[in-house]
């Protein structure tokens, strides 16, 4: 299946697509949700807790968009406030304390742009996650399942492995935002989408992700089964790595280092 | 100590500015209009006052002007000057844009890094430049800042960083986004080895830079009246369909909400930074 990049964007945003909770429900067993950032509130756009994967306890965190209009409003369309990032960090630190691997499902058009979000430090919340995730001493795997919108997505993706669904997108800015900055015309999003190199194949060739997950049988038992098997394998491998944090540093350290012109 | 004034400053910009001293007019001298008090101020007077209007408004400054104002005479030694952006995504128009900006600004990239002495204290310094694509962060900016933190770690030095940025540079797509993670990881390593990082946020510090190294310093200072935030104000208005509160995203507002340590006028910055370095490194 070959789609122009903007059609991928539309597909990635489709409300029929499986959301974070669908993945959690089908891949893991006995999920227990834990709420709140212990500072201000519980952000419904971020779901987190512990569950079993192949029998072992793991911490699972997802940005949840919801399917129906009602769900989507409740989840703020997957646009997290600072509390969402702080809840995620709290659960990640808890996972580190108890030696649990962490799996994040990322699906957001971006961190929420609002007055309260700014007042409560949206930038600081994301910055802290980037910093703290870089030295977590347990395996961290992030899967971009739909939209990977800029810093709001990266705030849950400073990980040992980052995977993307075949039709997920990952971008520094939305195609609409890019078009309105460059040409003052959001309707040129289609052109912007092609230029931003935001598809899974682009991300892989830029060295930003390790694996593209096929969408064959998406939403069916076989689909989730495949992802579960891959996760169990990968976590097994990462758990034996004695230099996890060092390698995670190098993983991000090299990105963009080779494109700089040195004269 | 008077120079470290942690009291909340009165937001003079919000109240229409301080009462300005009468400006002596010299016919024919070039002037600049202050966007705060709307007076025409002779350029020579502005320069004598570090590009600060008598009303208190802080004009934007080029990176090298700031370095000159800040560091001990002849102490600045530039590092990583050879690093500059390529066009990794072959983004149409990017190469030309960068070339034009280079010609106009005289800079190769949106950040200048190096070694400096401030009040006879050694430190690593980075200063971003608002006149280079509004300080946007692409691969070269991320690489230079990361290299500086790594250098500072090897040589056990503090880092002082002046931020100004519209955010990640979209023409380098995902590679720009990843610089947020890369720089943050470098800040973390530097921090974990017990070293000091001081950030001074200047107008405007937004987007991916706010959401990474600008907000990760041990001590975060800001210039008066600087815009400091994550999302752009227009985007927030469009998203929320609400009018924004007075002074929204100004450094005084961000201080009030608990995200910066102090607001420091340009005239006091050098003394304060020198004193902070001394307090941490026992000079």
């Amino acid at each position: 299946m070959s789609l122009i990049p903007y059609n991928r964007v539309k597909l990635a945003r489709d409300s029929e697509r499986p959301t974070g909770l669908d993945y959690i429900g089908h891949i893991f067993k006995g999920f227990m949700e834990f709420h709140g950032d212990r500072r201000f509130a519980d952000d419904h756009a971020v779901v987190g807790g512990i569950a079993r994967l192949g029998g072992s306890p793991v911490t699972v965190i997802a940005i949840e968009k919801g399917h129906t209009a009602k769900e989507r409003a409740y989840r703020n369309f997957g646009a997290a406030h600072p509390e969402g990032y702080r809840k995620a960090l709290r659960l990640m630190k808890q996972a580190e304390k108890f030696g649990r691997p962490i799996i994040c499902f990322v699906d957001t058009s971006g961190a929420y742009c609002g007055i309260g979000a700014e007042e409560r430090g949206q930038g600081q919340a994301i910055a802290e996650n980037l910093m703290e995730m870089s030295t977590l001493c347990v395996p961290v795997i992030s899967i971009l399942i739909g939209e990977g919108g800029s810093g709001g997505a990266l705030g849950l993706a400073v990980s040992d492995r980052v995977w993307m669904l075949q039709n997920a997108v990952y971008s520094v800015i939305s195609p609409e935002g890019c078009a309105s900055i460059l040409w003052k015309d959001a309707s040129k999003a289609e052109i912007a989408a092609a230029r931003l190199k935001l598809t899974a194949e682009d991300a892989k060739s830029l060295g930003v992700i390790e694996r593209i997950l096929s969408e064959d049988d998406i939403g069916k038992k076989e689909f989730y089964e495949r992802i579960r098997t891959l996760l169990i394998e990968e976590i097994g491998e990462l758990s034996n790595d004695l230099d996890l944090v060092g390698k995670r540093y190098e993983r991000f350290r090299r990105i963009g280092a080779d494109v700089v012109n040195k004269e | 100590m008077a120079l470290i004034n942690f009291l909340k400053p009165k937001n003079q910009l919000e109240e229409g500015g301080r009462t300005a001293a009468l400006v002596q007019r010299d016919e024919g001298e070039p002037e600049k209009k202050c966007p705060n008090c709307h007076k025409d101020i002779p350029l020579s007077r502005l320069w004598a006052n570090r590009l600060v209007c008598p009303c208190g408004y802080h004009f934007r400054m080029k990176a090298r002007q700031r370095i000159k104002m800040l560091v001990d005479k002849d102490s600045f030694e530039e590092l990583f000057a050879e690093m500059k952006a390529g066009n990794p995504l072959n983004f149409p128009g990017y190469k030309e844009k960068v070339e034009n900006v280079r010609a106009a600004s005289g800079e190769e990239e949106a950040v200048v890094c190096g070694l400096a002495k401030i009040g006879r204290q050694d430190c690593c310094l980075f200063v971003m430049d608002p006149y280079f694509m509004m300080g946007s962060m692409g691969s070269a900016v991320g690489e230079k800042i990361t290299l500086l933190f790594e250098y500072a770690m090897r040589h056990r030095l503090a880092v002082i960083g002046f931020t100004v940025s519209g955010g990640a540079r979209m023409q380098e797509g995902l590679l720009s986004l990843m610089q947020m993670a890369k720089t943050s990881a470098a800040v973390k390593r530097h921090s974990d080895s017990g070293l000091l990082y001081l950030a001074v946020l200047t107008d405007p510090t937004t987007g991916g830079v706010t959401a990474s190294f600008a907000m990760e310093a041990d001590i975060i200072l800001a210039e008066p009246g600087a815009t400091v935030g994550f999302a752009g104000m227009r985007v927030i208005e469009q998203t929320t369909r609400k009018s924004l509160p007075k002074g929204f995203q100004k450094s005084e507002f961000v201080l009030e909400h608990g995200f910066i340590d102090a607001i420091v006028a340009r005239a006091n910055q050098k003394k304060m930074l020198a004193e902070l370095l001394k307090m941490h490194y026992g000079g």
Side-chain angles (χ1 to χ4, degrees):
Chain A
M1 182 167 52
S2 176
L3 288 168
I4 64 159
Y6 196 59
N7 286 346
R8 299 273 184 108
V9 175
K10 286 195 225 161
L11 205 54
R13 289 173 180 166
D14 187 356
S15 65
E16 301 285 308
R17 240 178 126 73
T19 62
L21 279 172
D22 297 320
Y23 287 85
I24 293 176
H26 288 93
I27 294 175
F28 305 89
K29 285 207 166 67
F31 176 65
M32 284 177 271
E33 186 176 355
F34 300 148
H35 294 275
D37 69 346
R38 301 291 192 272
R39 279 160 174 74
F40 183 77
D42 183 44
D43 188 338
H44 303 150
V46 175
V47 173
I50 58 177
R52 285 183 187 274
L53 176 70
S56 307
V58 292
T59 286
V60 192
I61 299 164
I63 303 182
E64 172 62 28
K65 276 188 179 173
H67 291 288
T68 64
K70 202 176 160 191
E71 282 169 3
R72 286 168 88 83
Y74 180 73
R75 301 293 178 186
N76 199 29
F77 302 87
H81 280 75
E83 296 74 46
Y85 295 100
R86 292 185 182 127
K87 169 163 71 178
L89 184 59
R90 177 176 79 81
L91 296 176
M92 289 191 269
K93 287 285 190 186
Q94 186 188 76
E96 184 179 44
K97 176 175 175 183
F98 296 103
R100 287 192 290 266
I102 300 163
I103 297 131
C104 299
F105 294 94
V106 179
D107 187 12
T108 181
S109 58
Y112 190 62
C113 300
I115 296 167
E118 293 290 326
E119 287 176 333
R120 300 194 299 278
Q122 187 71 284
Q124 188 275 338
I126 294 171
E128 190 170 3
N129 280 24
L130 305 185
M131 230 180 143
E132 294 300 324
M133 285 185 82
S134 75
T135 54
L136 288 171
C137 57
V138 291
V140 189
I141 300 178
S142 295
I143 308 182
L144 279 79
I145 57 175
E147 277 185 286
S150 199
L154 185 64
L156 288 181
V158 182
S159 317
D160 302 301
R161 299 287 183 268
V162 181
W163 298 346
M164 275 176 84
L165 270 279
Q166 193 182 332
N167 290 313
V169 293
Y170 198 5
S171 182
V172 68
I173 186 170
S174 72
E176 292 80 8
C178 178
S180 76
I181 291 171
L182 280 185
W183 307 294
K184 316 271 174 242
D185 183 358
S187 70
K188 288 187 175 150
E190 199 169 308
I191 307 170
R195 296 190 176 174
L196 284 167
K197 303 274 195 286
L198 44 62
T199 68
E201 290 85 352
D202 293 325
K204 185 137 191 291
S205 72
L206 291 168
V208 170
I209 64 163
E210 279 80 17
R211 194 190 280 276
I212 300 172
L213 302 175
S214 154
E215 293 190 10
D216 294 348
D217 306 314
I218 188 165
K220 292 195 185 132
K221 198 166 170 264
E222 298 79 0
F223 170 77
Y224 294 115
E225 200 62 48
R226 260 197 332 263
I227 298 177
R228 181 197 294 135
T229 309
L230 287 172
L231 281 172
I232 291 172
E233 271 175 26
E234 198 72 51
I235 286 171
E237 227 167 88
L238 292 170
S239 301
N240 289 324
D241 196 329
L242 296 175
D243 186 29
L244 202 57
V245 174
K247 283 185 185 147
R248 193 181 305 139
Y249 187 84
E250 288 309 318
R251 184 191 183 282
F252 288 92
R253 180 66 190 83
R254 62 174 202 280
I255 299 178
D258 53 337
V259 299
V260 175
N261 280 334
K262 293 172 209 169
E263 285 179 352
Chain B
M1 183 173 283
L3 68 92
I4 300 176
N5 184 4
F6 280 91
L7 291 176
K8 180 187 165 240
K10 223 170 138 195
N11 186 348
Q12 283 134 338
L13 295 182
E14 291 298 324
E15 291 156 12
R18 273 171 222 155
T19 325
L22 271 176
V23 175
Q24 294 288 329
R25 271 181 190 280
D26 179 1
E27 288 302 318
E29 197 191 351
E31 294 173 329
K32 201 173 164 97
K33 198 173 194 76
C34 172
N36 183 52
C37 69
H38 307 292
K39 291 196 179 101
D40 293 314
I41 317 292
L43 271 181
S44 60
R45 191 190 160 103
L46 272 183
W47 277 112
N49 199 26
R50 304 174 179 85
L51 284 184
V52 178
C53 177
C55 78
Y57 179 82
H58 284 52
F59 284 89
R60 288 173 187 167
M61 260 185 138
K62 288 184 177 179
R64 285 188 205 272
Q65 294 167 347
R66 214 179 258 289
I67 292 169
K68 201 171 169 204
M69 170 195 95
L70 200 71
V71 307
D72 297 355
K73 198 167 184 296
D74 299 326
S75 73
F76 186 70
E77 192 184 316
E78 190 168 359
L79 291 172
F80 324 122
E82 71 286 3
M83 298 272 164
K84 47 184 175 174
N87 187 3
L89 305 188
N90 292 317
F91 201 100
Y94 178 40
K95 196 164 170 271
E96 295 71 23
K97 179 160 183 130
V98 168
E99 275 165 12
N100 290 339
V101 172
R102 278 185 187 140
S105 68
E107 291 297 340
E108 293 294 336
E109 256 303 339
V111 67
V112 179
C113 297
L115 294 168
K117 283 186 198 291
I118 296 176
R120 293 190 299 278
Q121 308 280 307
D122 289 308
C123 64
C124 283
L125 176 68
F126 73 83
V127 181
M128 302 182 83
D129 198 316
Y131 296 97
F132 196 102
M133 296 184 78
M134 194 41 85
S136 68
M137 173 161 67
S139 303
V141 170
E143 185 67 19
K144 285 176 87 168
I145 288 173
T146 303
L147 284 168
L148 190 73
F149 275 94
E150 291 174 341
Y151 182 98
M153 219 174 102
R154 283 197 305 277
H155 294 86
R156 309 282 311 157
L157 289 169
V159 174
I160 294 179
F162 280 74
T163 61
V164 49
S165 185
R169 193 177 295 171
M170 66 184 175
Q171 292 90 340
E172 291 183 38
L174 266 183
L175 297 175
S176 296
L177 183 68
M178 293 302 130
Q179 303 312 309
M180 293 167 62
K182 183 164 100 181
T183 52
S184 297
V187 172
K188 181 72 159 82
R189 277 196 166 183
H190 180 261
S191 175
D192 285 351
S193 44
L195 298 165
L196 174 70
Y197 167 30
L198 302 170
V200 185
L201 316 186
T202 74
D203 185 56
T205 294
T206 59
V209 166
T210 297
S212 61
F213 57 85
M215 281 292 164
E216 292 167 347
D218 297 297
I219 297 167
I220 306 177
L221 310 173
E223 289 203 325
T227 293
V228 173
F230 176 66
M233 288 199 256
R234 204 154 38 105
V235 179
I236 296 171
E237 272 176 331
Q238 283 165 1
T239 310
T240 60
R241 296 191 195 91
K242 281 181 192 155
S243 58
L244 302 175
K246 206 176 169 194
F248 185 68
Q249 287 188 335
K250 292 290 169 211
S251 50
E252 293 77 8
F253 175 95
V254 182
L255 179 84
E256 193 60 26
H257 284 90
F259 289 94
I260 51 183
D261 289 286
I263 292 174
V264 188
R266 209 168 273 168
N268 302 329
Q269 286 170 5
K270 179 169 180 165
K271 264 166 110 180
M272 177 146 178
L273 292 170
E275 181 63 14
L276 283 169
L277 286 172
K278 275 184 199 150
M279 281 191 173
H280 288 82
Y281 292 94

